[in-house]
Amino acid sequence: MLMSNHMKKSVPSMITKVKARQILDSRGIPTVEVDLYTNKGMFRASAPSGASSGMYEAIELRDGDKGTYLGNGVSRAVRNVNEKISEALIGMDPTLQSQIDQAMIDLDRTEKKESQLVFTRPLLHFSNLFLPLRESAFWEFFFQSELGANAILAVSMAACKAGAAEKEVPLYKHIAVLSGNTNLSLPIPAFTLISGGKYAANFLPVKQIMILPIGARQFEEALQMGSETYHHLKAVISKKYGTDGCSVGEDGGFAPSITSIREGLDLVKEAIGRTGYSEKLKIAIDVDATEFCIGTKYDLDFKSPNKSDQNFKSGEDMINIYKELCSDYPIVSIEDPFDKEDWEHAKHFSNLGICQVVGDDLLMSNTKRIERAVEESACNALLLKVNQIGTVTEAIENVKLAKDAHWGVVISQRSGETEDAFIADLCVGLAVSQIKAGAPCRGERLAKYNQLLRIEEDLGDQAVYVGDDWRLS
């Protein structure tokens, strides 16, 4: 045994095998899981997946066979890992993350992990890039990947875990070294409390109402605050709407039958008041305005069966709504307040300096769009979804780009998650200000929060919780 351990330490580590399989994510939809082997052992990672994808992001590879998983199977992506990616990476040093990621990018041969333009069904949905009317049908198109961003990302994360094992350091410390970061910190969790938009069966137009425990002294306390507020909110909702109002959305947020943003904010405000943490908790909103933008107008009644034209708002109207909400509630962050191509109103609102303005659909974790947003001051925080950019190395580079602009950085979940807690280590290693991993409920969401508890414990006296300094991260 001593000789075996000695040999493991003296022989340079290399990737010896890469094996992928199809598993199900938290929505019951297939995704890619990868086992990557070195002489140190086996390292597993799985790719998250979102409900929507855009033309500016890395595209996952789906089978398209409607007879199997309704076309959502990933057997082609799995085969690409087992046959193409595996062959390219065997023999490589797992500590050389950028070289591994570049090898896969070169193998894929495309800038956005894409290879061919695929035309699909005509849509009865809007896109103000093309046509101003929701009812006007046009052909949806997207680029399909040669290897699949889902295949590449799962391998990239597994390799990162293997690299940490080779260096005999925790994953978050390995990521810190890869990024050149010397200051580790625990992020503020953005807990989803109420779900709306297209993710919940209510009439709330915005996607999420969240809380930020900025007044906590450590992450453990922040998690306690989030959990207690969540359960107080459940009691508030149950009393006002009955137990049916306590159904949850895909990321664990409650989905009561509410119709307006203020109605949801009042519920959260009441729950916060019951906790005794009123001065320590702030509110964040993910508007996801692209989902209800029609031409240059915003339809706040887009989910209502009895809607009229009276609730269509201009960009200026939306700015005034946000100003009033920030004045009436302790809101410190608004995500995607406008359509992904409404740069002018995004710039105007961001320059008001009222709150943190987070770019998700506006940026799509795309380097060129981040650079444009920095140049035009269209937002002041990046929402990073690792599967939108495709590799660990590219994620690190985009976070650096945002930090160089003195932006905040929010590393985010997807609607389709797994128990893989990689983004928790990524947050600490890159010392970002916030993590958005859903409600303090559901196993795939808690996997991230619980991993941050372990990291805080591991760091001991060196653990730093972002807290009140969150705008400076």
Side-chain angles (χ1 to χ4, degrees):
M1 179 63 71
L2 290 176
M3 179 62 71
S4 175
N5 289 337
H6 172 74
M7 290 297 293
K8 283 187 177 182
K9 290 183 178 180
S10 61
V11 176
S13 183
M14 66 176 65
I15 297 172
T16 58
K17 180 181 177 182
V18 185
K19 169 69 176 177
R21 67 182 61 84
Q22 177 174 274
I23 63 170
L24 298 185
D25 67 21
S26 57
R27 304 164 301 173
I29 295 175
T31 191
V32 178
E33 181 177 80
V34 166
D35 293 346
L36 184 144
Y37 294 80
T38 71
N39 65 304
K40 285 289 180 73
M42 183 273 286
F43 306 92
R44 177 170 293 163
S46 52
S49 178
S52 60
S53 60
M55 65 182 68
Y56 301 105
E57 64 184 90
I59 304 300
E60 60 192 13
L61 182 61
R62 299 280 177 181
D63 296 341
D65 177 7
K66 297 298 183 181
T68 305
Y69 285 112
L70 305 179
N72 292 314
V74 292
S75 62
R76 293 165 61 197
V78 167
R79 187 163 59 249
N80 284 339
V81 173
N82 293 338
E83 296 177 1
K84 298 178 181 179
I85 294 176
S86 178
E87 181 179 354
L89 299 189
I90 286 177
M92 293 190 72
D93 183 343
T95 67
L96 303 178
Q97 185 73 38
S98 62
Q99 292 185 24
I100 291 169
D101 290 341
Q102 190 59 51
M104 290 190 287
I105 292 171
D106 292 343
L107 186 63
D108 200 53
R109 299 191 301 275
T110 54
E111 180 182 353
K112 290 192 300 176
K113 327 307 180 277
E114 64 193 26
S115 65
Q116 56 181 332
L117 190 63
V118 178
F119 291 88
T120 61
R121 65 191 184 282
L123 294 181
L124 295 179
H125 190 55
F126 68 89
S127 170
N128 61 15
L129 277 172
F130 301 96
L131 296 173
L133 298 178
R134 182 189 298 269
E135 290 78 13
S136 298
F138 61 90
W139 284 97
E140 178 190 26
F141 66 91
F142 61 91
F143 287 97
Q144 198 149 57
S145 172
E146 177 77 17
L147 298 176
N150 43 355
I152 293 173
L153 176 62
V155 174
S156 182
M157 294 193 302
C160 195
K161 294 177 182 181
E166 173 62 19
K167 292 182 178 179
E168 298 183 343
V169 297
L171 178 57
Y172 65 90
K173 289 186 178 180
H174 176 52
I175 292 171
V177 172
L178 291 176
S179 68
N181 175 45
T182 57
N183 298 312
L184 303 175
S185 61
L186 280 295
I188 293 177
F191 294 114
T192 303
L193 292 190
I194 293 182
S195 296
K198 68 179 183 180
Y199 295 87
N202 54 21
F203 299 133
L204 178 65
V206 303
K207 180 179 176 181
Q208 292 157 335
I209 299 176
M210 299 164 281
I211 55 168
L212 302 174
I214 66 170
R217 293 163 296 180
Q218 55 190 15
F219 184 83
E220 182 180 12
E221 184 181 19
L223 187 57
Q224 178 184 335
M225 291 178 177
S227 176
E228 290 178 5
T229 308
Y230 184 82
H231 288 284
H232 277 298
L233 178 61
K234 183 176 182 179
V236 171
I237 291 173
S238 180
K239 182 177 180 180
K240 291 189 176 184
Y241 303 93
T243 55
D244 288 347
C246 296
S247 61
V248 299
E250 289 181 337
D251 69 346
F254 295 115
S257 183
I258 56 179
T259 58
S260 71
I261 302 172
R262 284 184 176 272
E263 189 177 356
L265 289 169
D266 286 337
L267 291 173
V268 171
K269 190 174 180 179
E270 182 175 346
I272 291 174
R274 292 188 178 193
T275 65
Y277 302 133
S278 295
E279 299 303 315
K280 297 181 178 182
L281 294 172
K282 301 298 180 183
I283 295 176
I285 301 174
D286 179 359
V287 179
D288 198 17
T290 295
E291 288 300 321
F292 54 86
C293 181
I294 302 176
T296 60
K297 299 290 185 179
Y298 293 89
D299 180 11
L300 292 175
D301 283 340
F302 81 107
K303 296 174 69 177
S304 173
N306 302 313
K307 65 181 181 180
S308 67
D309 292 338
Q310 297 177 353
N311 212 18
F312 278 59
K313 305 296 183 183
S314 67
E316 287 297 324
D317 292 333
M318 296 299 290
I319 288 176
N320 289 329
I321 288 173
Y322 298 140
K323 289 167 66 175
E324 292 174 2
L325 291 176
C326 289
S327 175
D328 295 343
Y329 301 91
I331 296 171
V332 295
S333 180
I334 299 180
E335 180 182 331
D336 280 345
F338 305 98
D339 178 72
K340 66 179 181 292
E341 300 302 334
D342 192 349
W343 290 82
E344 288 305 312
H345 288 107
K347 287 187 288 184
H348 183 186
F349 182 61
S350 182
N351 288 330
L352 292 177
I354 295 174
C355 64
Q356 175 179 260
V357 180
V358 184
D360 176 12
D361 289 345
L362 180 74
L363 305 176
M364 299 185 197
S365 303
N366 179 280
T367 302
K368 292 179 180 178
R369 289 179 74 88
I370 295 170
E371 290 172 343
R372 178 182 173 183
V374 169
E375 182 179 346
E376 299 185 16
S377 300
C379 59
N380 52 38
L382 163 69
L383 188 100
L384 181 80
K385 297 172 177 174
V386 289
N387 73 314
Q388 284 186 328
I389 188 63
T391 66
V392 173
T393 299
E394 291 168 296
I396 291 171
E397 291 171 351
N398 276 359
V399 169
K400 286 182 179 179
L401 185 61
K403 286 195 167 193
D404 286 345
H406 306 290
W407 280 11
V409 178
V410 186
I411 291 183
S412 178
Q413 62 175 2
R414 297 310 309 264
S415 57
E417 273 293 340
T418 72
E419 61 271 25
D420 195 319
F422 183 87
I423 63 170
D425 287 83
L426 187 65
C427 283
V428 178
L430 299 182
V432 304
S433 52
Q434 298 141 76
I435 182 172
K436 182 180 176 184
C441 169
R442 297 179 57 117
E444 76 281 357
R445 314 294 159 178
L446 290 170
K448 285 69 169 172
Y449 296 134
N450 288 337
Q451 175 64 4
L452 287 166
L453 283 177
R454 300 182 193 104
I455 293 173
E456 185 170 63
E457 181 182 280
D458 185 53
L459 286 170
D461 293 340
Q462 295 180 319
V464 176
Y465 176 65
V466 172
D468 289 328
D469 296 328
W470 67 285
R471 292 180 185 271
L472 303 178
S473 297

